[in-house]
Amino acid sequence: MDAGKAIFETVDKLRQRRTAPLILELDLTEGLTEGPPADPLAAVLSMRKTRLADVLSGLKRARQDPRVKALVVKIGGQPLGLAMVQELRQAVIHFRASGKLTVAFSETFGEFGGGTVPYYLATAFERLYLQPSGDVGLTGVALEQRFVKGALGKLGVGFEAGQRHEYKTAPNTFTQDHMTDPHRESMARIVESVTESMVAGIADGRRLDPGKVRELIDRGPFTAAEAQEAGLVDGLAYRDEVYDELKRAAGDEAHLLYVSRYARGAAVRKLPHPMADAIALVHATGMIRTGRSGRSPLGGGGAMGSDTISAALRAARRDDHVKAVVFRVDSPGGSYVASDTVWREVTLTRKVKPVIVSMGDLAASGGYFISMAADVIVAQPGTLTGSIGVYGGKPVFSELLEKAGITSEMVAEGANAGMFSTSRGFSPEQWERINAWLDRIYDDFVGKVAQSRDLSRERTHELARGRVWTGADARASGLVDELGGLEDALAMARKRAGLADDAPVRTYPRLNPLERLRGPESSEDRSAALARIRMDAWGPLARLSAELGLPAVGPLILPGWYSIR
């Protein structure tokens, strides 16, 4: 009898949970992942991380779900990129417009440090609470670059590099000891554009005048008491106090549920027919290189391989049930050749079905190269994009080797056989070949941008020259079509394909377990899009990278110090 009673009570509790009001919860302390795991190692490392797409789809569905009464988000810990923050703000604002309660809680917005971007996210919520011991690091936006030319010179290391053009500043770290005028101009406009977006968002969210927000930024950072007095937060409270208030507002019978769990549960309950017409979602995340996607087991982020991304685009293109493709790009660039390979697949796909690009935090240099052929490009105001340019060069260790008592001799056949040796500089004849290479890549890049974006070559060159733009400025100049996020791109794709507003989205490549196990039969097989752990993750420039102490990248790359978090 006791066992039967226990079973009955358990079933009754489950039934009550299925009908009880919900408080959706999102914990951002561990950050979010942009897309599905790129390789087996990434799958393990991201097992407990929440996916951005799940959060967006969950909040969209919850707007219409009468069971969902509120949303509470803990902000802090792992920093999020500005464009991802803007994507989340947009989703929260839409959720809030449905009349449901939204609450943000943070232990601190920067503990003895800056916290402008996470605070900007928090201002999208109806109520904003801060732990009494916390701070609001509302200090504004800053980009800083260090130059190592002087340090390398003391060591006896030179750096020879060419670039196209003056705004392609990636090699400046090694070739300059200060910002050039174009370098400072480009960075100043990025900071200004980002500040404009954040000031407008904070002013709207906290019901403050934009001028007052700028004044507060100049006064920051703030202690908790100062932040409450200035109207930057609604109250000072610990987690238990915030959650108790939420439960009182939603009802005693309400229970908490993570947004990602809610989204996955809703997806399972509404499984589309496998043959239903759908939108394909292809993620292109990380550095761009030739070969297959993956990462080094020695550490570092993942990279997209042109073979992997191309195979995914081919699979989506050839699937008759896919009526449009959303290509989600979050990349600083990398290899020119690999970027061109992916560009070709986007061009071929666009010939048979609509392609909408959704840009994440970064879609610059090679990241812009693979995006530009789409029918529509959608970016957030804080996305960093453009950087249409190229650079190339090498370090020269001849003086360092001489100081260390190391001599070097070379035997070669071919006038330029040893031109990439780091023990000697380029000869005038070799510089001619380097410049021809840089000119060819730049001309190809600019020409394809002009054709894809319906711009004159002259206008494209004005916008190019290696300059980095925010999404807001890129939209004004025609390099981007619309401002928005992934959900906006999916809506555009459905509309262009003539599908219903709730048409399913399928991530590509779509592989069943057997296909994953057996591996591809050929490069045309869908499973050719599988990623892997790459033991050779540094590529053919591994020796050069090791000598510099830097990761090997391609000639179309945005420097890592372009990061607003």
Side-chain angles (χ1 to χ4, degrees), residues 36-45 293-296 302-303 530-534:
D39 55 80
L41 180 60
V44 172
L45 294 176
S293 299
R295 69 176 63 217
S296 167
L530 276 174
R532 63 187 177 92
I533 297 175
R534 286 183 55 142

Side-chain angles (χ1 to χ4, degrees), residues 155-232:
L155 294 172
V157 178
F159 201 95
E160 296 188 351
Q163 60 212 81
R164 300 293 183 274
H165 280 272
E166 68 271 28
Y167 293 101
K168 193 68 176 179
T169 56
N172 288 12
T173 298
F174 308 104
T175 61
Q176 304 289 334
D177 56 12
H178 65 283
M179 286 189 188
T180 62
D181 290 342
H183 191 166
R184 182 173 295 278
E185 176 194 346
S186 176
M187 291 185 70
R189 178 52 201 162
I190 290 171
V191 169
E192 182 181 32
S193 178
V194 167
T195 301
E196 289 169 357
S197 294
M198 291 204 288
V199 165
I202 293 171
D204 183 63
R206 300 305 302 167
R207 296 180 178 86
L208 296 170
D209 181 79
K212 178 65 174 178
V213 174
R214 286 186 176 269
E215 178 189 324
L216 289 169
I217 287 174
D218 288 337
R219 285 172 46 196
F222 300 86
T223 65
E226 292 170 340
Q228 185 178 23
E229 184 180 352
L232 294 173

